[in-house]
Amino acid sequence: MGNKQNYTAKMELTKKHKLAAGLISDRFPKVAGIVLYMTYYQEGVNPILMLRTVNIFPTDSAYFKMECMTKGCIEGGFNLTTPIIDLIKKRKNAGKGELTCRGKHETRSSCRAKISYDIKIKYKK
Ligand SMILES: [Zn+2]
């Protein structure tokens, strides 16, 4: 089981999910743009791993899975698809929450990294 093969399989799977989800502009034509503000946490003395802002455009896919940034994490990630689509369906402009990575880990039994997220959505007039 080579790493490269795993990586390729993962990329293929992500591509499939993205295709299946369709484009934001097709599924949610009222959405003008989405901004995600994320804080990545890890276990240890310096719990804040990084801050990240991601801009999502109507031309992007409606599948919002963010990579886990923890070293040694296997098949982890944070899927924001459901919280984002819920907000769009309720036509809300903002929402926040937390997610825990369900990935495995090279040296521990599981990854358990966390993010807190803040979603902002702009709609067309
Ligand atoms: Zn992880």
Side-chain angles (χ1 to χ4, degrees), residues 6 10 17 19-20 23 32-33 37 44 46 59 62 74 77 83 99 102 111 115 121:
N6 279 344
K10 205 171 109 185
H17 281 304
L19 275 175
L23 297 182
Y37 301 94
N46 294 307
T59 48
I74 302 161
L99 282 176
R102 308 269 164 121
C111 174
I115 61 163
I121 303 174

Side-chain angles (χ1 to χ4, degrees), residues 67-70 72-78 101-105 110-113:
E67 291 290 307
C68 180
M69 298 294 176
T70 301
C73 176
I74 302 161
E75 291 171 12
F78 303 99
C101 178
R102 308 269 164 121
K104 297 181 193 78
H105 196 275
S110 59
C111 174
R112 296 194 304 270

